[in-house]
Amino acid sequence: MPEEPNPEDASPDATDPEATDPEEPTLRTLDARSLRGLAHPLRIRMLATLRHEGPATASQLAERLGESSGSTSYHLRQLAAHGFVEDAPEHGKGRERWWRAAHDGTRFDENLLYDEDPATRGAADLFLHEIATIHTQEISTWLGSAHSWPQEWRRAADLSDFTLRLTPAQSVELVHGIHELINSYRDLPPAEGAATVRFHTHALPRADA
């Protein structure tokens, strides 16, 4: 989930490369068990919200996502059982429980798509489709609200695609290079006029006509 996740993002940031620099984001690598614990549309969206917007209560997540607090509370407990979220007691006021994401992003292992367990393969398919849905929703939200942003931000946005002829190894090299470049911008000093910017990367082999 991607930042996410990609889910991320995603993306929830789902396909970030191996993180070795301590300044790079902390990533949770999915295995069969944790994937089955995460592969639910609401859980993926809740985790993405906590990663992007910071700690929240079940009631706050319910309001943001148009769900009942009973539902978000249940799914938060499931996410906690699989190590995706944890308590954020420093935010607590009163009796309501606050939660935060335990990691910055999620790393998806493509081998999960070929697991011998059909339940794991189904969870992998659901997870990736939900990440793609989140990306599509974010693009649609931008296109629907771009007119309300200053012109300098409209010029700064990008919606491009490219077609290259590459080997699998070259594609992996390019994807990792893009991720490394993006990560190099994470720790820039605060600047006036800065805003949160979402980047999506999609690398999709296509059969020749």
Side-chain angles (χ1 to χ4, degrees), residues 78-124:
Q78 296 303 307
L79 288 169
H82 289 86
F84 290 103
V85 302
E86 59 191 14
D87 283 313
E90 68 276 12
H91 293 272
K93 293 181 180 180
R95 300 177 58 186
E96 199 156 25
R97 190 175 186 180
W98 284 71
W99 299 88
R100 64 182 168 219
H103 311 89
D104 297 318
T106 302
R107 184 187 298 113
F108 181 82
D109 184 349
E110 295 292 336
N111 290 324
L112 293 168
L113 289 166
Y114 308 101
D115 194 272
E116 61 182 16
D117 183 355
T120 299
R121 296 197 303 272

Side-chain angles (χ1 to χ4, degrees), residues 39-115:
H40 183 284
L42 181 55
R43 291 179 199 172
I44 294 171
R45 287 188 289 137
M46 288 168 56
L47 181 57
T49 300
L50 291 174
R51 285 174 174 169
H52 298 160
E53 301 180 18
T57 66
S59 297
Q60 290 170 338
L61 288 171
E63 183 177 355
R64 294 174 193 174
L65 299 175
E67 300 285 340
S68 71
S69 58
S71 179
T72 55
S73 180
Y74 169 77
H75 287 295
L76 279 167
R77 292 195 299 271
Q78 296 303 307
L79 288 169
H82 289 86
F84 290 103
V85 302
E86 59 191 14
D87 283 313
E90 68 276 12
H91 293 272
K93 293 181 180 180
R95 300 177 58 186
E96 199 156 25
R97 190 175 186 180
W98 284 71
W99 299 88
R100 64 182 168 219
H103 311 89
D104 297 318
T106 302
R107 184 187 298 113
F108 181 82
D109 184 349
E110 295 292 336
N111 290 324
L112 293 168
L113 289 166
Y114 308 101
D115 194 272

Side-chain angles (χ1 to χ4, degrees), residues 113-133:
L113 289 166
Y114 308 101
D115 194 272
E116 61 182 16
D117 183 355
T120 299
R121 296 197 303 272
D125 186 67
L126 185 153
F127 174 78
L128 292 178
H129 276 83
E130 187 62 23
I131 295 299
T133 297

